[in-house]
Amino acid sequence: MERTYIMVKPDGVERGLVGEIIKRFEAKGYQLTALELMHPTKEHLEEHYCDLKSKSFFPGLIQYMLSGPVVGMVWTGKEAVKTGRKLLGETNPLASLPGSIRGDFAIDVGRNICHGSDTPENAEKEIALWFPRGIKTAKRDKSIDTLIYE
Ligand code: IDP
Ligand code: MG
């Protein structure tokens, strides 16, 4: 089963959208595997976004991400990475369809309320970065899985 790292950014936390975002992943059928409210350092965020270091918006992005706590989560299930990004919507909320999280709750790209891993490899890297002590994985009740997977 695939894992993805989903994070509610400071604007999403401040706007009270944590529950809404959790609700959508739960309702889809994904399993909540880890969850924590965190106050990351600048260095930690620079590591998370290291691929974007050369972008002109990078300093603003880091400043935005430092503006308050974030909620980091790991969700598990079939194609969790790709489907997780579909649930979030496009990077630019105005290009996101209604029904997606960014499409329903955000306008500007620099205030797009949530993060989702883009590949399974990056998901595992991000999970290791944000949950460095590891995650105890509780096996979900098999009877629930038979209602979600054929
Ligand atoms: P993603 O979050 O959809 O994976 P990335 O390209 O990885 O998008 O960019 C990371 C984050 O950087 C975005 O979610 C957004 O908050 C911010 N960002 C991306 N492009 C821009 C931009 O052109 N201006 C301002 N912020 C941006
Ligand atoms: Mg990205």
Side-chain angles (χ1 to χ4, degrees):
M1 278 292 179
E2 193 169 273
R3 306 195 296 178
T4 189
Y5 178 66
I6 300 295
M7 174 165 58
V8 187
K9 295 178 177 181
D11 50 341
V13 175
E14 187 71 22
R15 290 176 56 195
L17 293 170
V18 175
E20 179 67 39
I21 293 168
I22 290 174
K23 190 175 91 176
R24 291 176 181 220
F25 280 83
E26 276 187 328
K28 179 71 179 167
Y30 288 124
Q31 181 182 6
L32 182 61
T33 309
L35 171 76
E36 193 176 334
L37 182 87
M38 306 183 221
H39 295 80
T41 62
K42 185 166 183 276
E43 290 68 34
H44 189 103
L45 290 163
E46 284 171 350
E47 175 67 26
H48 173 76
Y49 281 127
C50 60
D51 291 349
L52 300 172
K53 221 167 242 170
S54 63
K55 302 284 185 190
S56 59
F57 60 80
F58 186 75
L61 171 62
I62 298 300
Q63 201 181 1
Y64 154 51
M65 291 299 297
L66 279 169
S67 65
V70 299
V71 172
M73 305 179 246
V74 178
W75 289 91
T76 303
K78 190 192 272 184
E79 297 193 16
V81 170
K82 193 168 87 185
T83 310
R85 284 183 65 97
K86 280 190 197 155
L87 290 173
L88 298 189
E90 302 295 321
T91 304
N92 180 357
L94 289 183
S96 301
L97 290 176
S100 67
I101 292 164
R102 287 163 173 168
D104 286 347
F105 300 111
I107 294 174
D108 270 355
V109 67
R111 298 289 183 273
N112 61 4
I113 70 169
C114 48
H115 164 83
S117 308
D118 57 1
T119 64
E121 296 70 36
N122 282 339
E124 290 302 322
K125 267 193 223 162
E126 291 172 0
I127 291 166
L129 177 68
W130 290 91
F131 293 96
R133 290 184 303 279
I135 297 167
K136 255 191 218 154
T137 324
K139 260 258 162 254
R140 182 151 74 170
D141 188 333
K142 267 267 175 272
S143 61
I144 294 173
D145 273 344
T146 61
L147 296 174
I148 294 168
Y149 297 104
E150 60 179 21

